[in-house]
Amino acid sequence: MWLNITASPFLLTGFPGMEKAHHWISIPLLLIYTSILLGNGTLLFLIRNDNSLHEPMYYFLAMLAATDLGVTLTTMPTVLGVLWLNHREIGHGACFSQAYFIHTLSIVESGVLLAMAYDRFIAICNPLRYSSILTNTQVMKIGMGVLTRASLSIMPIIFRLHWFPYCQSHVLSHAFCLHQDIIKLACADITFNRLYPVVVVFAMVLLDFLIIFFSYILILKTVMGIASGEERAKALNTCVSHICCILVFYITVVGLTFIHRFGKHAPHVVHITMSYVYFLFPPFMNPVIYSIKTKQIQNGIIRLLSLSHSKA
């Protein structure tokens, strides 16, 4: 193996065969990107400045919003560069860095959803100890643990990309860099880079989902033991937003996996579109879900709008 320093840059791809429509395709994508930035940015602003939202549940929500912003800011420059300016070239270092952040943030999102499930589990199944278990320090430790787990787990496969020779076509199949896309262009033994991501997915994302699933079984069991129907509804209502975010994230993961596994004969544009759904739909929907389903967030938005109106 050797470090390929003077290699030709990779070429990003927009929507093959639809190059003349790239400017039109960029319009809905730009609107979605703008909505994601505004929605998640508003959540972060509210949680930071509204004292009533200084609780573990909203701190984890802030982590989710920051992760969604990270994914968006990582993919947006190259996507819009390809669609607006036909700027397709990207250096190896920049490409590998983008792939690292994209895949790391995907693992972070799964970990944050798990942390949010833990928060709901403690709040409903052990409410008397909630404030003593989920202190600010503990929330910070969980957040750092989620970030560290994701960062270290993705590092081995991205590090190896720097040492592969690339003598195949340098054309990538998306407008952003993905590990599974890059290794197809390598002229080397990529067995480790093929198998390791499968282990990561099963050991982390799938395990996260199973823990979340079983935590909600325990939550449901506890809620069903509450005598008052009104209290049962109130307890379950605090979980609705989180459950919706879980469904949005894991349904897109399953959808993307299904297309890559069984859609080999599907048009390439289907694969590209599904990848955009995977990266844009959860960051777009998460602020919408919490704004609609969470009273405290609604009140914070109303106060923010009232403040803006009074200043105007």
Side-chain angles (χ1 to χ4, degrees):
M1 294 191 296
W2 58 87
L3 188 61
N4 207 348
I5 298 174
T6 59
S8 302
F10 292 120
L11 294 176
L12 301 169
T13 302
F15 290 82
M18 303 173 67
E19 286 80 5
K20 291 182 179 179
H22 273 181
H23 285 88
W24 295 106
I25 295 170
S26 71
I27 294 173
L29 284 176
L30 180 61
L31 290 174
I32 293 170
Y33 274 130
T34 304
S35 300
I36 291 170
L37 295 176
L38 286 174
N40 289 286
T42 300
L43 281 181
L44 287 173
F45 180 83
L46 286 175
I47 294 168
R48 183 179 182 276
N49 292 283
D50 192 332
N51 290 330
S52 67
L53 300 178
H54 290 179
E55 298 176 11
M57 173 181 173
Y58 299 108
Y59 291 147
F60 289 128
L61 177 57
M63 294 179 197
L64 187 66
T67 303
D68 288 339
L69 279 177
V71 172
T72 302
L73 293 172
T74 300
T75 60
M76 183 172 66
T78 54
V79 170
L80 295 182
V82 169
L83 297 180
W84 281 352
L85 308 171
N86 196 33
H87 183 71
R88 296 180 59 195
E89 288 191 359
I90 184 169
H92 286 204
C95 188
F96 300 154
S97 297
Q98 185 182 48
Y100 175 74
F101 284 112
I102 287 174
H103 294 298
T104 295
L105 290 169
S106 294
I107 301 293
V108 168
E109 181 128 1
S110 178
V112 172
L113 289 171
L114 174 60
M116 295 171 84
Y118 176 65
D119 168 79
R120 291 299 84 206
F121 172 75
I122 298 297
I124 293 173
C125 298
N126 202 350
L128 296 179
R129 295 189 59 204
Y130 179 75
S131 57
S132 61
I133 293 174
L134 282 175
T135 61
N136 289 347
T137 303
Q138 191 63 25
V139 169
M140 192 177 299
K141 285 181 180 178
I142 291 172
M144 289 303 297
V146 167
L147 183 60
T148 302
R149 180 188 76 156
S151 302
L152 294 180
S153 66
I154 296 299
M155 201 172 288
I157 53 172
I158 300 298
F159 182 76
R160 282 172 59 86
L161 293 178
H162 289 274
W163 295 89
F164 288 153
Y166 297 94
C167 55
Q168 306 280 358
S169 164
H170 280 63
V171 179
L172 298 169
S173 57
H174 296 83
F176 40 79
C177 296
L178 298 174
H179 168 263
Q180 61 267 31
D181 220 6
I182 298 168
I183 60 171
K184 291 177 183 176
L185 308 181
C187 302
D189 182 4
I190 58 171
T191 304
F192 176 82
N193 282 61
R194 282 191 180 279
L195 296 179
Y196 183 83
V198 177
V199 174
V200 170
V201 168
F202 276 94
M204 295 187 186
V205 178
L206 183 61
L207 184 61
D208 287 352
F209 175 77
L210 290 174
I211 296 172
I212 290 169
F213 179 75
F214 284 116
S215 70
Y216 268 103
I217 290 177
L218 295 174
I219 287 171
L220 193 59
K221 184 179 177 182
T222 301
V223 170
M224 290 299 104
I226 299 174
S228 168
E230 186 179 340
E231 289 298 316
R232 281 202 299 268
K234 186 178 178 182
L236 285 175
N237 194 50
T238 64
C239 301
V240 170
S241 298
H242 181 236
I243 292 171
C244 290
C245 290
I246 291 168
L247 291 175
V248 165
F249 177 74
Y250 283 104
I251 286 173
T252 54
V253 168
V254 171
L256 186 65
T257 304
F258 185 84
I259 287 291
H260 278 296
R261 179 68 181 85
F262 301 106
K264 292 178 180 177
H265 300 295
H268 186 53
V269 70
V270 174
H271 291 262
I272 293 174
T273 303
M274 195 61 212
S275 68
Y276 281 106
V277 171
Y278 172 74
F279 287 115
L280 296 178
F281 190 59
F284 176 78
M285 286 303 299
N286 289 342
V288 174
I289 291 167
Y290 271 91
S291 298
I292 292 172
K293 288 292 183 181
T294 309
K295 193 72 174 177
Q296 291 90 332
I297 298 292
Q298 290 176 6
N299 293 337
I301 292 172
I302 292 169
R303 282 194 294 270
L304 182 62
L305 292 174
S306 300
L307 186 62
S308 301
H309 186 265
S310 63
K311 285 183 177 180

